[in-house]
Amino acid sequence: GSTKIVSTEPSQAELLQQQYQARFSQGLEYRDALWQVLCEDFFQQYIPSDAVVLDLGCGWGQFSNHIVSAKQYAMDLNPDSARYLNDHVELIAQDCSQPWPLSDHSLDVVFTSNFLEHLPDKSSVEKTIVQIKRCLKPGGQLIALGPNVRLVPGAYWDFWDHYVPISDRSLAELLKLNGFAVVEQHAGFLPYTMSD
């Protein structure tokens, strides 16, 4: 006969779904309203209305749902992402460090917020940056936000799913090594977390 092995371990997507629900299900309306203001009053100035945009690590789509652009993609492994994204946003449910199903030079903007630190290692972060570079049009831009381990070294590790310590300086170095020109850099921008 044959033996069937069934794993009782949750998949990476299921773990992500559980962590996200536990951390962010409270205060969803508040975060959505905050992202609406951030998009309208700040980020929209960087994104032309005719742009093709990808929201990397989109979570529940607060950025994607409020930014105005001609075409929007969102990438995340969380199965719940599809439920929260507006109909005009196309979800790409995959590991971002693997080749993206997008053509070279097809994106005007890649946006990511509080995501790169969740990747399992520096190699995955760099592979993701390579995919961003490949998919951005000449003159395209990456807008990246994240916890700056230089400013919150202890609190950074309070989240179980933070793996890669990244600072504004280390991210800038990685980007330059991969052919990006860093045009604007801020050590701090938003509060470290909007969760308790």
Side-chain angles (χ1 to χ4, degrees), residues 20 24 28 31-33 35-36 39 55-67 72-76 78 80-89 91 111 113:
Y20 216 82
F24 298 116
L28 181 59
R31 276 189 307 283
D32 191 61
W35 275 102
Q36 181 175 1
C39 287
D55 182 358
L56 177 61
C58 68
W60 287 348
Q62 281 97 3
F63 174 83
S64 295
N65 291 341
H66 293 294
I67 208 69
Q72 291 179 332
Y73 296 98
M75 186 179 292
D76 207 298
N78 187 340
D80 282 341
S81 295
R83 187 167 58 126
Y84 288 96
L85 289 169
N86 289 345
D87 291 340
H88 70 277
V89 181
L91 178 63
F111 175 87
S113 174

Side-chain angles (χ1 to χ4, degrees), residues 81-135:
S81 295
R83 187 167 58 126
Y84 288 96
L85 289 169
N86 289 345
D87 291 340
H88 70 277
V89 181
E90 183 178 329
L91 178 63
I92 301 171
Q94 75 159 68
D95 177 342
C96 64
S97 67
Q98 298 302 309
W100 295 1
L102 298 170
S103 301
D104 292 0
H105 313 299
S106 58
L107 301 172
D108 295 293
V109 178
V110 173
F111 175 87
T112 188
S113 174
N114 295 287
F115 174 68
L116 296 175
E117 70 276 7
H118 294 268
L119 297 179
D121 51 44
K122 286 185 174 186
S123 174
S124 297
V125 174
E126 188 156 14
K127 287 175 185 175
T128 301
I129 296 301
V130 167
Q131 287 301 305
I132 293 170
K133 180 70 173 166
R134 178 186 69 77
C135 290

Side-chain angles (χ1 to χ4, degrees), residues 3 16 27 44 65 70 72 83 104 106 116 159 173 177 182:
T3 304
L16 179 60
Q44 194 65 63
N65 291 341
Q72 291 179 332
R83 187 167 58 126
D104 292 0
S106 58
L116 296 175
F159 295 94
E173 180 179 47
L177 289 170
V182 177

